[in-house]
Amino acid sequence: MSEVRIKDNESLDSALKRFKRNCAKAGVLSDLRKKEYFQSPSVKRRKKSEAARKKKNKRF
């Protein structure tokens, strides 16, 4: 869970910006998007292999 403590004389906008950055580093949004809907295990395997294939082709 991401937590940001507001410092003395800090605006709410800058604290919100720090919070968003912490969430992005922790991978909260990407994890949420992954779990947004159910995928069967076969679909997960297929997407994983497709991603690996794309990554391999991109490298060469």
Side-chain angles (χ1 to χ4, degrees):
M1 177 146 178
S2 296
E3 186 177 304
V4 173
R5 299 198 187 264
I6 298 176
K7 299 173 184 173
D8 293 337
N9 298 327
E10 183 181 23
S11 67
L12 189 61
D13 290 332
S14 62
L16 184 63
K17 197 181 280 188
R18 282 194 303 130
F19 176 72
K20 287 181 180 179
R21 204 175 315 131
N22 284 348
C23 286
K25 282 183 182 177
V28 174
L29 286 178
S30 62
D31 189 43
L32 179 71
R33 287 193 185 105
K34 263 192 250 178
K35 295 181 179 186
E36 196 169 12
Y37 56 92
F38 178 77
Q39 285 184 342
S40 64
S42 62
V43 173
K44 283 183 185 178
R45 278 194 303 270
R46 186 175 43 201
K47 285 194 179 249
K48 188 176 179 181
S49 69
E50 286 175 4
R53 197 176 309 123
K54 270 187 176 180
K55 189 175 179 181
K56 184 181 177 186
N57 286 340
K58 192 181 257 188
R59 207 181 277 172
F60 294 112

